[in-house]
Amino acid sequence: MMNHLPLLAVLVPALGALCIALTGERRANLREGWSVLAGVILTGIVASLAPSVLRGETPGEVYAEILPGIELAFRVDAFGLLFAGGAAVLWIVASFYSIGYMRSMKEHAQTRYFACFALALSTTMGVAFSANLFTLFVFYEALSLITYPLVSHKETDEARAGARKYIIYLLGAAKIGVLSGLILIYTKTGDLSFESGGIFAEELVAEHPTLLFVIFCLCLFGFAKNAIMPMHSWLPAAMVAPTPVSALLHAVAVVKTGVFSTLRVFLFIFGADTMQTIGADNVALGFAAVTIVVASLLALGQDNIKARLAFSTVSQLSYILLGAALLNSAGVTGGVAHITNHAVSKITLFLCAGSIYASAHKTQVSELPGLAKRMPWTMAAFALASLSVIGIPPTCGFISKWYLALGTVEAGHYVLLAVLLTSSLLNAAYLWPIVFKAYF
């Protein structure tokens, strides 16, 4: 039974979506109850996998063999379990928030919204528990398709344009980059499994370093959900969606699926030795560093709260990529920890932004003076989450940034340490004025 729990984790949100669709608009309480119930059951399933994973086991099963070495299979390891656990818990939070937000804003097509939300978590679980690159690619693509109706939910011209850019970027990059890389990897190795240390033999690395470098770049930019520049502009465009969808995009599923998938390729397809041999680590570090600084500078120029938070997400995601690309214990620890730490902080910021819009009908930073007197709890939560994103101790954001800083020192990349410190100052520069205006 333990080996089939990963499949059950994928099926429970899908069954929840079916129940939501069948219940429809007339019985709203029951419809929304399915969403919460599915989230609770999913969290229980993920939690039940923890003891066996902590014992060093990897529960999973092969469900279909497409070609020799190409299988639809699930396997749970500590990395996947951490990602799945964070997404499952935050789904419950987002579900309760969505109920209040969608009702108070009298949004249309709420059944479609809750059903697609549940299906998004189903595909996220598929990514988290994928045993190989083929399975991950299938669920990664499914997530892009499922979230398209959520991005275009408002059905305005602006929403359709934003959703069109969203789907073109994500599907196009995955087809050109990831699918091409997947085919090349299979051609050279006959295997797509995730293995600690990578799957490329030393002889292959020595004979085809340029080809492997190209494959690495295809995957790095093909997983465009990681929003590394220049593959980032879909993310600000997707801010036309309702705020709970923005929270889903930035904290629970979409962008975290992007960085999770990228880290799977870094650590479980290529591995540290191969990345260093072909120079892939330097490429990843360079683009991540540029993204961290430039996106933070772009955030400074945004008056719209959600747009400012969107560029903040672009920057923060590259913290995760930078940590993994350092290829040392401290850096990888910081990068992996930042997946969860940023998720908790950023979902708080977006839910606060949605509350401000629903209660005060304000969307611009310049409109916020004095708002803390009217919404003290909301602004207190926003301030605390901002401190975490900045990296002020003892918040969770400080922990991951501390390990990232240690990783840069351990690797001797003092320029990257300066990038991290500069970025934290920029984080304060674009987040703290929001808090200051609201209080003073």
Side-chain angles (χ1 to χ4, degrees), residues 2-8 10 58-77 80 122-140 182 191-195 260 264:
M2 185 64 66
N3 288 330
H4 294 293
L5 284 181
L7 176 62
L8 192 60
V10 174
T58 53
E61 193 67 72
V62 176
Y63 291 98
E65 186 177 57
I66 313 303
L67 289 170
I70 300 181
E71 300 169 335
L72 188 66
F74 296 120
R75 187 183 66 196
V76 184
D77 61 7
S122 175
T123 53
T124 300
M125 292 301 113
V127 169
F129 295 146
S130 293
N132 55 63
L133 189 57
F134 172 75
T135 306
L136 185 147
F137 177 75
V138 170
F139 284 96
Y140 179 94
L182 185 152
D191 187 20
L192 296 172
S193 300
F194 294 133
E195 300 292 343
F260 176 85
R264 277 293 194 200

Side-chain angles (χ1 to χ4, degrees), residues 417-428:
L417 177 61
V419 167
L420 292 176
L421 296 175
T422 301
S423 176
S424 287
L425 293 175
L426 291 172
N427 297 161

Side-chain angles (χ1 to χ4, degrees), residues 45-63:
I45 293 171
V46 174
S48 69
L49 286 162
S52 62
V53 172
L54 290 173
R55 290 194 299 267
E57 300 171 4
T58 53
E61 193 67 72
V62 176
Y63 291 98

Side-chain angles (χ1 to χ4, degrees), residues 57-367:
E57 300 171 4
T58 53
E61 193 67 72
V62 176
Y63 291 98
E65 186 177 57
I66 313 303
L67 289 170
I70 300 181
E71 300 169 335
L72 188 66
F74 296 120
R75 187 183 66 196
V76 184
D77 61 7
F79 185 31
L81 187 68
L82 178 67
F83 176 51
V89 171
L90 292 179
W91 182 26
I92 300 174
V93 175
S95 292
F96 279 112
Y97 183 90
S98 294
I99 294 167
Y101 184 92
M102 300 300 281
R103 289 189 180 188
S104 66
M105 299 304 295
K106 297 181 173 58
E107 291 280 358
H108 72 291
Q110 293 188 29
T111 297
R112 181 186 68 193
Y113 167 86
F114 282 103
C116 288
F117 211 112
L119 288 173
L121 265 294
S122 175
T123 53
T124 300
M125 292 301 113
V127 169
F129 295 146
S130 293
N132 55 63
L133 189 57
F134 172 75
T135 306
L136 185 147
F137 177 75
V138 170
F139 284 96
Y140 179 94
E141 290 286 75
L143 178 61
S144 300
L145 295 172
I146 289 300
T147 49
Y148 174 81
L150 294 172
V151 177
S152 63
H153 178 83
K154 293 184 178 181
E155 298 181 3
T156 61
D157 290 340
E158 183 184 15
R160 291 190 182 95
R164 188 162 51 248
K165 187 172 187 177
Y166 172 84
I167 203 70
I168 290 173
Y169 259 78
L170 297 189
L171 289 183
K175 294 292 189 301
I176 296 171
V178 181
L179 184 58
S180 299
L182 185 152
I183 293 170
L184 290 170
I185 292 169
Y186 180 72
T187 301
K188 290 299 178 182
T189 66
D191 187 20
L192 296 172
S193 300
F194 294 133
E195 300 292 343
S196 180
I199 63 173
F200 295 112
E202 292 182 7
E203 298 78 14
L204 180 63
V205 176
E207 291 175 7
H208 302 287
T210 303
L211 176 62
L212 295 185
F213 181 83
V214 171
I215 293 172
F216 179 87
C217 292
L218 288 172
C219 292
L220 176 63
F221 298 107
F223 284 120
K225 290 187 179 77
N226 63 29
I228 195 168
M229 290 183 170
M231 307 302 295
H232 70 287
S233 61
W234 64 268
L235 205 156
M239 290 302 96
V240 296
T243 301
V245 176
S246 299
L248 171 75
L249 295 176
H250 289 257
V252 182
V254 177
V255 297
K256 293 306 185 295
T257 295
V259 291
F260 176 85
S261 301
T262 308
L263 264 59
R264 277 293 194 200
V265 170
F266 280 15
L267 305 175
F268 295 88
I269 293 294
F270 282 86
D273 291 341
T274 300
M275 284 182 63
Q276 289 174 334
T277 300
I278 66 176
D281 56 333
N282 293 325
V283 172
L285 289 172
F287 276 94
V290 169
T291 302
I292 288 171
V293 175
V294 174
S296 296
L297 291 171
L298 291 173
L300 281 172
Q302 309 300 315
D303 192 38
N304 183 277
I305 300 171
K306 286 177 64 177
R308 186 171 293 198
L309 295 180
F311 281 105
S312 169
T313 297
V314 174
S315 174
Q316 294 288 316
L317 292 174
S318 280
Y319 278 86
I320 300 167
L321 301 181
L322 184 143
L326 287 170
L327 301 177
N328 56 42
S329 178
V332 173
T333 298
V336 171
H338 205 60
I339 293 177
T340 302
N341 294 345
H342 175 258
V344 173
S345 305
K346 191 52 65 74
I347 195 173
T348 303
L349 292 174
F350 269 103
L351 298 189
C352 288
S355 295
I356 292 169
Y357 175 64
S359 300
H361 304 291
K362 298 182 185 297
T363 60
Q364 309 298 314
V365 176
S366 57
E367 299 172 344

